[in-house]
Every structure is written in C-alpha cells, then in structure tokens.
C-alpha cells in the first residue's frame, strides 16, 4: 500500500458524507411516517432503525471508498503506477494443494 495525501481521499469522503446525510434524512422521514400511528410497533422499531442506520453508514463508506479507488485507477500517482508495474512483472505464486 502507498500512503496518499489526504486531498486524494477528499472526493470519496465528500460523497460518503452526502450519501450518509441524505440517507439519514430519508430514513428519519420514513421511520416517522411508518411508525406514527401504531404504538405497538414503536419499541420493536428501535433495533430495526439502528440496523438500517448502520447499514446505511457502511454503504456510504463503501461508495466513498469505491470512488477513491476508481479515481486512483484512472489517474494514478507516480508511486502507485510504479508499484502496479512491479506487481505485474512478478510471477504469480502457485496455489498450495
């Protein structure tokens, strides 16, 4: 792995933050709408809401990381391009039986 400057990770971080914020707002609106009238399901909805929020958070982070990976693949830094070239020249290791 090559350490990159923080500015190279900024586009993915911004996308992750926007996806997370928008998803949080939509999740909140949906939860208020879905569980407004039924008092029975109120306590049961808390674990579901937490799991949905954690899923949304993980998805936002993955979207941001994927964007950063695609940017690095399309416009690699010289250090990254050099290491990829060296990696391509190595012979693959045989699989153990």
């Amino acid at each position: 792995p090559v350490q990159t400057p923080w500015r190279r990770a900024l586009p993915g971080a911004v996308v992750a933050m926007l996806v997370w914020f928008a998803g949080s707002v939509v999740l909140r609106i949906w939860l208020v709408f879905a569980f407004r009238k039924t008092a029975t399901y109120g306590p049961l909805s808390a674990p579901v809401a937490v799991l949905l929020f954690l899923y949304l958070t993980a998805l936002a982070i993955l979207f941001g990381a994927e964007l950063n990976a695609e940017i690095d693949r399309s416009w690699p830094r010289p250090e990254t391009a050099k290491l990829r070239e060296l990696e391509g020249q190595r012979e693959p290791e045989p699989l153990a039986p």
Side-chain angles (χ1 to χ4, degrees), residues 1-2 77-93:
V2 177
R77 296 190 63 221
E79 299 89 6
T80 308
K82 184 175 141 184
L83 282 175
R84 285 184 188 151
E85 184 180 311
L86 289 174
E87 184 69 28
Q89 292 174 357
R90 281 190 352 189
E91 291 187 26
E93 297 177 14

Side-chain angles (χ1 to χ4, degrees), residues 4-28:
T4 59
W6 65 270
R7 283 182 241 92
R8 295 279 293 193
L10 202 57
V14 169
V15 166
M17 181 189 65
L18 292 175
V19 168
W20 179 77
F21 184 74
S24 297
V25 169
V26 169
L27 180 64
R28 171 144 177 123

Side-chain angles (χ1 to χ4, degrees), residues 62-77:
L62 286 175
F63 282 158
E66 183 66 27
L67 177 66
N68 284 339
E70 288 300 320
I71 288 173
D72 189 52
R73 186 176 300 151
S74 299
W75 301 286
R77 296 190 63 221

Side-chain angles (χ1 to χ4, degrees), residues 3 37 42 57 60 83 93:
Q3 186 172 1
K37 296 180 182 178
T57 301
L83 282 175
E93 297 177 14

Side-chain angles (χ1 to χ4, degrees), residues 20-56:
W20 179 77
F21 184 74
S24 297
V25 169
V26 169
L27 180 64
R28 171 144 177 123
I29 291 169
W30 179 72
L31 288 173
V32 166
F33 176 74
F35 299 107
R36 177 177 25 182
K37 296 180 182 178
T38 57
T40 306
Y41 297 118
L44 298 175
S45 66
V48 173
V50 169
L51 288 175
L52 283 172
F53 180 74
L54 291 176
Y55 176 75
L56 173 73

